[in-house]
Amino acid sequence: MELQPFNRHILIIPEYVEKEKKKEQSSILLPDDYTKVEGKYCSAIVQGWAEDCRFTLERNSRLLIDRGMVEEVEHGGEKYYLILDNYVIAKIMED
């Protein structure tokens, strides 16, 4: 199933979701009460976008986004992450 965003939303995979998947595969044990200090911004991979987005996007490109404005939506047993285009800070250009 694929989700089609509307109203200037962008479907993304935030970097912290990717890191969580890798951490689950890791064998390093941390205390249960351990919390890592997270920054205000993070990168995200673009998966889809609404037609009325205010700038041009490409699938699998990277964006710098406001971490606190990511919306997590669960549907059909899957988690999706959306962000409004207003909270995109920059496009990360790969060399």
Side-chain angles (χ1 to χ4, degrees), residues 19 34-38:
K19 287 181 181 177
Y34 174 80
T35 55
K36 183 179 176 187
V37 177
E38 302 290 345

Side-chain angles (χ1 to χ4, degrees), residues 13-24 45 62:
I13 300 173
E15 72 175 8
Y16 57 83
V17 172
E18 290 291 311
K19 287 181 181 177
E20 281 296 316
K21 288 179 186 176
K22 289 179 184 174
K23 187 166 70 170
E24 288 174 2
I45 302 169
R62 285 195 170 275

Side-chain angles (χ1 to χ4, degrees), residues 13-15 41-46 55-66 88-95:
I13 300 173
E15 72 175 8
Y41 304 103
C42 71
S43 69
I45 302 169
V46 175
F55 41 86
T56 305
L57 292 168
E58 296 174 11
R59 191 173 182 85
N60 294 320
S61 61
R62 285 195 170 275
L63 302 175
L64 185 62
I65 61 169
D66 184 332
V88 173
I89 308 304
K91 182 176 181 179
I92 300 171
M93 307 301 285
E94 302 290 333
D95 290 334

Side-chain angles (χ1 to χ4, degrees), residues 3-6 8-11 46-53 55-61:
L3 201 66
Q4 173 60 52
F6 290 114
R8 297 179 18 229
H9 281 86
I10 303 167
L11 182 64
V46 175
Q47 298 297 297
W49 56 91
E51 289 180 15
D52 59 351
C53 239
F55 41 86
T56 305
L57 292 168
E58 296 174 11
R59 191 173 182 85
N60 294 320
S61 61

